[in-house]
Amino acid sequence: MTRSVRSKLYDLTGIEGKSIEAIVIASLFGAFQAIIVFHFGDVTGVKMIGASAGHWDKITGGLMVIVYSLIFGGIFLGVIAGSVNPFVTRVIMLSQNSALLQKFLVPLLTRSALGVTLLAIGQLYGIIIGLVFHGILLQLWLEAIGAPAQFPAFGLASTVAWMAYGATMGLVYGLLMEQ
């Protein structure tokens, strides 16, 4: 009997195929948001990302943003796969004890509890990517391969680009998983 790709992925990772498909789609949506922010706010930043693959240009940079986004999406999925439902439940329980939180959170959580929660977690994740990956690790890699590096490279536009990636990825993933 032949097994599906989904069942083989589940055996390999312990994560449902639907979750993997959703994070790939969500990561691509997030990558396009990041590319737009890089294009208008930090062209040098996207060229730096391209330099990590050997080409200091916007096209390679944009393609590498997509590649890195898929990698970061996989890490995000691995971290949140088993922990997001208890977190959402805890947020809902907290909102039941506070009238202020109820006023603010209930309309959002009614529409999409998972989407809103993962948007917030994704934003934080994106900021971490912007600071740790783009600001430090990418620069160390560029130095190691002899490409121009700016160590550390903590730019507002690059951090906002990765934050947009994380927020969009989290929201889209949450919405797809709720369906």
Side-chain angles (χ1 to χ4, degrees):
M1 175 154 92
T2 62
R3 294 178 42 213
S4 70
V5 172
R6 278 185 168 192
S7 65
K8 289 178 184 176
L9 280 172
Y10 181 77
D11 290 346
L12 181 66
T13 64
I15 298 172
E16 294 290 332
K18 178 183 176 186
S19 295
I20 294 171
E21 292 166 358
I23 201 66
V24 167
I25 292 167
S27 293
L28 293 174
F29 270 91
F32 292 126
Q33 296 299 313
I35 290 168
I36 289 169
V37 174
F38 273 122
H39 178 73
F40 290 109
D42 189 10
V43 174
T44 302
V46 80
K47 288 180 179 179
M48 259 193 260
I49 294 170
S52 72
H55 299 283
W56 182 275
D57 63 63
K58 291 188 294 188
I59 301 296
T60 305
L63 293 172
M64 290 308 295
V65 167
I66 293 169
V67 169
Y68 289 133
S69 294
L70 291 168
I71 293 167
F72 294 139
I75 294 168
F76 183 81
L77 179 62
V79 170
I80 62 106
S83 60
V84 76
N85 284 337
F87 180 76
V88 171
T89 303
R90 185 176 177 140
V91 168
I92 291 170
M93 295 303 288
L94 284 173
S95 70
Q96 290 176 349
N97 297 330
S98 169
L100 179 62
L101 281 176
Q102 281 181 356
K103 188 174 184 177
F104 177 71
L105 289 176
V106 169
L108 294 173
L109 294 175
T110 301
R111 287 178 181 80
S112 174
L114 190 59
V116 170
T117 303
L118 290 179
L119 178 138
I121 294 171
Q123 259 185 327
L124 179 60
Y125 184 62
I127 291 169
I128 292 167
I129 291 170
L131 296 175
V132 175
F133 168 73
H134 194 94
I136 299 171
L137 298 177
L138 178 65
Q139 306 313 313
L140 291 173
W141 174 249
L142 293 176
E143 275 187 16
I145 64 172
Q150 304 170 353
F151 189 80
F154 300 126
L156 178 62
S158 60
T159 303
V160 170
W162 287 111
M163 184 179 73
Y165 157 76
T168 304
M169 179 203 52
L171 177 64
V172 171
Y173 177 74
L175 292 173
L176 289 174
M177 291 307 293
E178 283 185 332
Q179 292 181 358

